[in-house]
Amino acid sequence: MQLKYLLILATFGLFTHCAEKSASEFTLEASYASTAPIIDGKVNEPIWQQAKPIRLKNNRTGKEVQESALQTHVKASYDDKSLYFLFDCKDPDIWAEFTQRDEYLWKEEVVEVFIDVDDEPKTYVEIEVSPANILFDSYIVDPENIDVPATAKFNLPGLKTGVTVQGTLNKRDDEDSSWTVEMAIPFEDLANATTERVGPETEIRLNFFRLDKNQGKEFASYAWSPTGKSFHKPSVFGKLVFK
C-alpha cells in the first residue's frame, strides 16, 4: 500500500514537472523600450536588437519549421503607453490583393496576434496585418461562433502598423526574401468593461499566427502555441512577461 502511494506521488510529480515545462515554453518576454520604436516595419531600432525572439511552429503538427526560407520570428517590447510587436517573415512569394481595412485578410497572406487582457477566455482582440500593410482588427466574444461582419466593426483607434518587403510585392514569378511587420498597440485601446485599466501590471495572454500561401506550394499556417486547426483556441494562449 505504501509503495503504491509512493508511485502515485512520483507520477504526479512527473506530470506536474512536464506541465510546468510546457507552460513555460509559451512565455514571451517583452523588453522595455526607453525610446518608442518608429512604426515603419524596419528593424533598426536598438530595442529590436535587444528583444528575445520566439519562432512560430507548424500549426497543424506543432513541429519546428525546418526550412529557413519559411521561418517566422516574433519579438515584443513595451513602454508605459503601448505594446510593440515585430514579425519577421521569411517568404519567397510575397503577395496581397486586399486593399481595404477589415477585408478578409486570412484568405491570403497575413500575420495575426490575439490579445486577452481579462479573465474571460472567450473575449479577446484579434489583429491581422497583410504584406501590403492592410489591417483587420476585431473583438471576439465567442470563438466557436464568430459573427465576422459584427466583430469587424470594432476598431483600435490608436493602433499603428508598418510593413517593409524585402522583394517585390505581387510579382509572383520572382523570388522574394522576407517581409517585416511592426505594431504599436496602446494599452488604453485594450481596456474593456472587465479590465478598465491595462498596462505592464496586467496579466496578458496571447498567441501569434501567420498564414503563408506561396505559389506552387501547399498552404501553410504557423503558430507560436499551435492550435491544430482553428486559430481561435484561447485555452492554449501563451503569456506575456514584462521585463
Side-chain angles (χ1 to χ4, degrees):
M1 186 69 177
Q2 186 177 9
L3 178 60
K4 181 179 179 182
Y5 180 69
L6 289 173
L7 287 172
I8 292 173
L9 284 179
T11 303
F12 178 76
L14 179 62
F15 173 79
T16 302
H17 175 73
C18 293
E20 290 174 351
K21 184 177 180 181
S22 177
S24 65
E25 183 182 355
F26 300 109
T27 298
L28 175 60
E29 186 178 275
S31 298
Y32 183 77
S34 55
T35 301
I38 298 171
I39 306 303
D40 55 7
K42 298 178 181 178
V43 297
N44 50 359
E45 287 95 352
I47 187 58
W48 296 131
Q49 311 310 313
Q50 300 167 16
K52 296 179 180 179
I54 52 97
R55 190 164 80 183
L56 304 193
K57 300 177 180 179
N58 184 302
N59 188 53
R60 294 283 183 173
T61 66
K63 295 181 179 179
E64 298 287 348
V65 179
Q66 298 298 329
E67 191 172 346
S68 60
L70 299 175
Q71 291 178 357
T72 311
H73 293 85
V74 182
K75 295 181 178 181
S77 180
Y78 74 103
D79 57 22
D80 296 334
K81 295 183 177 180
S82 299
L83 279 177
Y84 305 102
F85 295 116
L86 174 71
F87 285 78
D88 180 13
C89 309
K90 304 302 180 187
D91 194 342
D93 180 23
I94 305 171
W95 64 283
E97 295 181 353
F98 289 123
T99 60
Q100 303 297 317
R101 183 169 181 161
D102 290 332
E103 290 189 286
Y104 295 175
L105 304 185
W106 59 89
K107 293 185 176 182
E108 299 181 349
E109 296 201 306
V110 72
V111 296
E112 306 182 1
V113 56
F114 294 0
I115 307 173
D116 186 1
V117 300
D118 57 33
D119 293 329
E120 175 47 66
K122 291 186 177 181
T123 61
Y124 50 89
V125 168
E126 175 185 2
I127 301 169
E128 303 184 12
V129 183
S130 80
N133 198 23
I134 303 302
L135 173 67
F136 177 94
D137 51 347
S138 67
Y139 186 68
I140 306 299
V141 297
D142 183 354
E144 294 184 4
N145 300 284
I146 299 174
D147 185 338
V148 176
T151 191
K153 293 178 181 178
F154 171 85
N155 286 329
L156 293 161
L159 174 64
K160 295 180 181 179
T161 62
V163 177
T164 61
V165 173
Q166 291 72 50
T168 49
L169 182 66
N170 290 330
K171 193 172 187 299
R172 307 298 300 275
D173 58 353
D174 70 351
E175 185 169 337
D176 303 312
S177 175
S178 64
W179 54 291
T180 57
V181 181
E182 276 183 299
M183 301 182 189
I185 309 164
F187 283 119
E188 63 180 7
D189 283 8
L190 297 172
N192 56 39
T194 303
T195 306
E196 296 180 357
R197 176 178 169 78
V198 178
E201 71 283 354
T202 307
E203 183 173 309
I204 295 178
R205 294 177 57 79
L206 72 176
N207 209 351
F208 301 100
F209 303 96
R210 175 186 169 196
L211 293 174
D212 190 26
K213 301 184 178 183
N214 297 317
Q215 190 165 244
K217 292 191 175 183
E218 187 178 351
F219 159 76
S221 62
Y222 310 119
W224 176 38
S225 177
T227 62
K229 192 176 181 182
S230 170
F231 288 176
H232 293 272
K233 193 173 181 181
S235 62
V236 304
F237 283 7
K239 184 179 179 181
L240 189 64
V241 175
F242 296 96
K243 182 178 178 182

